[in-house]
Amino acid sequence: QVQLIESGGGLVQAGGSLRVSCAASGRTLRNSAMGWFRQAPGKEREFVAGINWNGGSTSYADSVKGRFTISRDNAKNTVYLQLNSLKPEDTAVYYCAGSAGPFLAPTSKYDYWGQGTQVTVSS
């Protein structure tokens, strides 16, 4: 059974940076597109970034383009999200998710999820 474990969240001031990681156990990620999502209090979960199986293709929400970078290391079975120029509105629980297929996919195709890591940005 696959397990995704996020880490690296925390409290940071506006304008600062964080890197969150997603490590997998029980399944190799090398054949899966992976994504990062977030959910702020009182709001629906939203897509943040996605990456295909080999890192050759990525996708970002407009709200994070130019500030966040998704990457992966298949040898370490880990996916990363670098968050730069953070804003208070980036405050949310960040979730890692995996798709059954290797290519970037709609949110509905992500079928296994981590428990999330909290990112809080103070103004």
Side-chain angles (χ1 to χ4, degrees), residues 49-62:
I51 188 166
N52 75 333
W53 68 279
N54 67 354
S57 182
T58 57
S59 177
Y60 296 93
D62 288 343

Side-chain angles (χ1 to χ4, degrees), residues 1-35:
Q1 183 176 352
V2 63
Q3 186 175 16
L4 300 178
I5 300 176
E6 299 95 336
S7 62
L11 174 64
V12 64
Q13 289 188 331
S17 297
L18 279 176
R19 189 177 78 160
V20 291
S21 301
C22 171
S25 62
R27 173 176 176 168
T28 178
L29 298 183
R30 64 176 66 250
N31 299 319
S32 297
M34 300 296 296

Side-chain angles (χ1 to χ4, degrees), residues 64-78:
V64 307
K65 278 182 182 176
R67 300 188 298 121
F68 292 8
T69 303
I70 188 171
S71 61
R72 65 190 301 159
D73 185 338
N74 286 342
K76 294 183 178 180
N77 224 26
T78 301

Side-chain angles (χ1 to χ4, degrees), residues 25-110:
S25 62
R27 173 176 176 168
T28 178
L29 298 183
R30 64 176 66 250
N31 299 319
S32 297
M34 300 296 296
W36 285 96
F37 296 77
R38 67 186 181 186
Q39 187 167 20
K43 295 187 177 181
E44 293 188 354
R45 186 174 58 196
E46 64 175 355
F47 170 80
V48 174
I51 188 166
N52 75 333
W53 68 279
N54 67 354
S57 182
T58 57
S59 177
Y60 296 93
D62 288 343
S63 59
V64 307
K65 278 182 182 176
R67 300 188 298 121
F68 292 8
T69 303
I70 188 171
S71 61
R72 65 190 301 159
D73 185 338
N74 286 342
K76 294 183 178 180
N77 224 26
T78 301
V79 180
Y80 306 98
L81 184 68
Q82 178 69 39
L83 299 78
N84 296 331
S85 302
L86 282 160
K87 304 175 182 180
E89 52 263 44
D90 294 318
T91 295
V93 177
Y94 282 72
Y95 297 91
C96 172
S99 172
F103 305 112
L104 291 172
T107 299
S108 61
K109 298 297 185 183
Y110 289 90

